[in-house]
Amino acid sequence: MTNYTLFADKPAVRFRKSDPLFFVAVLLLWSLGMVTLYVSTQEAALRIRSDANSLGFFYDQLKYSCVAFVAFCAMAFLPVNFIKKISVAVFYACFILCVMAVIPGFKDERNGAYRCVDLGFISFQPSEFIKPALVFYLAYLFVDHASDYERESGKKHRNYPLFVVVPLCAFIAFGQNDLSTAIFIFCIGILMFIITGNSILWLLPMGIILVLFAVFFTTIKVYRLDRVIDFLNGELNYQLIKSQLAITAGGIWGAGMGGGMWRVASIPEVQSDYIFAGWANAMGLAGVTVYFVLLAFFVWRGTVISLSCQNKFAAYSAFAFTIMIAAQSLLNCAVVCGAVPTTGISLPFFTAGGTSLLTTFAMSGFILNASHCASDEELEEYSFAKKNMTESLEGIIIENE
């Protein structure tokens, strides 16, 4: 009688529930974004869209949300080891897409920048995809190839990862003419370098590189230099003036859903980077406070998940994604209020557009994945047991032959 020995393709690990509070935070932020698009973009849709559909931006965002939710579920339940294995290929694929954004026939120029790739049937912004792809790539290098970056003194050096980050940012700043995204990606690289064990003193040379990088790419473009000078002199652009008027008109309790929307409608690109002005106008200081409390709750749960995760790759990536979404949100709000120069950074969960929403949901899904994924120790035990089982089966087959 022939005996068969079977073993599972997946490790038998301790069951862990996904973090329900984090999931609720994601749904609430998305809901606020959808409500804001509904009440703030109707006049803008009539003015901007060729179909003159007052709810066009809202309906488009609903369609994008369906795709984004699929990405959320995929990133929440795909095995972390699988994501780690394909991280290198995904990063270089996203980099190729960034290159396509400057190739005639594919590039889609908007406001002087080559941020989008136009394939005819779809247009998307590849620099949004490169943000999570870079995090996965650096996390993979620092976890699986940490020994490759050891000096004889035992101190880690990051020359190779640094040579990946700097050229990427230079290409986005110079090739795509998108300095704000390039600086943000550079900061993502710095964040990954720090959370993976570098000394805090390492921030000094990286900070110098970042400052020189920003100064150089700001001065080579006259409009960027004018924008900074105008900000320092207190001169506001038209869009920012309209944004501040809409925010102040909201008062403490807001103008209400539909009330005072004429101020919001006067903002040229309210559906894009200035969408937060619509929420502030409709809900006032009370609504702004609710948003920041909810964002803080999102960050709290994401941080707890990252610190409690026993899988290094998932922990590093989840923490970076949490900080990225929070930093991007705060930066966008600062721009809308006039606290910092205009950057072109979108507001996660709020800004109209499929690329931003898809990326935000995918990152959020991975954070949820980190709350229940297998630990490094469990994966090692499974790998060791599977190796022994395979060797035993091979021995039995040889003996039978």
Side-chain angles (χ1 to χ4, degrees):
M1 182 176 180
T2 305
N3 293 324
Y4 295 93
T5 303
L6 304 177
F7 55 86
D9 290 333
K10 296 183 178 180
V13 298
R14 182 171 64 86
F15 175 75
R16 299 179 182 86
K17 290 183 178 179
S18 299
D19 191 313
L21 295 179
F22 179 81
F23 181 67
V24 169
V26 171
L27 287 183
L28 288 177
L29 284 170
W30 171 78
S31 299
L32 293 187
M34 294 302 300
V35 170
T36 305
L37 279 173
Y38 179 82
V39 302
S40 303
T41 63
Q42 296 186 28
E43 293 293 335
L46 292 174
R47 183 180 71 251
I48 298 173
R49 295 176 63 92
S50 58
D51 58 4
N53 184 356
S54 62
L55 296 178
F57 290 121
F58 176 77
Y59 289 144
D60 285 349
Q61 196 77 344
L62 278 179
K63 297 175 186 177
Y64 299 146
S65 297
C66 295
V67 179
F69 188 72
V70 172
F72 176 87
C73 293
M75 295 301 291
F77 296 105
L78 279 175
V80 170
N81 262 16
F82 173 76
I83 296 175
K84 183 167 67 173
K85 287 178 181 178
I86 66 172
S87 59
V88 177
V90 170
F91 173 76
Y92 286 110
C94 291
F95 181 75
I96 292 174
L97 291 177
C98 288
V99 174
M100 289 176 61
V102 301
I103 298 177
F106 295 105
K107 64 181 180 180
D108 182 10
E109 182 181 356
R110 299 184 184 182
N111 299 323
Y114 302 96
R115 301 181 179 183
C116 298
V117 172
D118 188 0
L119 298 180
F121 63 97
I122 189 174
S123 178
F124 57 91
Q125 190 172 339
S127 59
E128 288 292 322
F129 296 145
I130 203 71
K131 295 175 185 176
L134 178 63
V135 169
F136 283 142
Y137 183 53
L138 292 179
Y140 163 76
L141 290 179
F142 294 152
V143 171
D144 280 16
H145 295 275
S147 59
D148 297 341
Y149 311 123
E150 296 286 343
R151 289 177 176 168
E152 293 181 359
S153 61
K155 295 181 179 179
K156 294 180 180 179
H157 66 91
R158 309 301 192 190
N159 292 338
Y160 175 71
L162 186 60
F163 291 150
V164 172
V165 175
V166 173
L168 171 64
C169 296
F171 173 78
I172 292 176
F174 186 75
Q176 294 189 355
N177 199 24
D178 189 0
L179 179 61
S180 57
T181 300
I183 293 177
F184 190 80
I185 290 175
F186 195 90
C187 292
I188 293 171
I190 293 178
L191 173 66
M192 289 300 297
F193 283 39
I194 297 303
I195 66 177
T196 52
N198 281 274
S199 170
I200 196 68
L201 296 176
W202 188 79
L203 276 175
L204 181 60
M206 288 300 294
I208 294 174
I209 293 175
L210 177 59
V211 171
L212 294 176
F213 180 89
V215 170
F216 173 75
F217 283 102
T218 299
T219 53
I220 62 175
K221 295 291 184 178
V222 176
Y223 76 90
R224 290 175 183 163
L225 190 59
D226 289 341
R227 185 181 297 174
V228 173
I229 294 174
D230 290 343
F231 174 78
L232 295 177
N233 291 335
E235 298 179 13
L236 306 180
N237 59 54
Y238 176 79
Q239 185 154 249
L240 183 56
I241 292 173
K242 293 298 183 180
S243 174
Q244 291 183 340
L245 288 174
I247 293 173
T248 54
I252 296 178
W253 302 110
M257 298 296 182
M261 285 296 105
W262 62 273
R263 293 187 181 275
V264 177
S266 63
I267 302 175
E269 298 290 336
V270 64
Q271 81 283 355
S272 184
D273 300 337
Y274 284 80
I275 186 64
F276 189 71
W279 173 256
N281 179 267
M283 306 306 293
L285 180 61
V288 171
T289 303
V290 169
Y291 169 75
F292 283 116
V293 169
L294 185 55
L295 181 63
F297 182 74
F298 174 92
V299 173
W300 171 56
R301 293 314 307 165
T303 303
V304 169
I305 290 171
S306 305
L307 296 179
S308 60
C309 181
Q310 300 300 310
N311 185 302
K312 285 187 177 181
F313 175 83
Y316 292 156
S317 301
F319 185 76
F321 291 155
T322 302
I323 299 302
M324 282 171 57
I325 293 175
Q328 195 165 324
S329 301
L330 294 175
L331 181 59
N332 179 275
C333 293
V335 169
V336 172
C337 296
V340 298
T342 303
T343 61
I345 296 294
S346 60
L347 181 61
F349 298 108
F350 279 69
T351 297
T355 309
S356 175
L357 191 66
L358 177 64
T359 305
T360 302
F361 264 86
M363 291 190 294
S364 300
F366 187 83
I367 297 172
L368 191 67
N369 195 339
S371 68
H372 65 251
C373 68
S375 66
D376 288 329
E377 183 179 351
E378 290 169 333
L379 292 174
E380 287 177 4
E381 290 177 356
Y382 166 74
S383 179
F384 180 75
K386 184 174 181 180
K387 181 180 179 181
N388 288 343
M389 184 64 70
T390 303
E391 292 176 351
S392 298
L393 288 174
E394 290 176 351
I396 293 173
I397 294 173
I398 293 174
E399 288 179 1
N400 291 337
E401 289 179 350

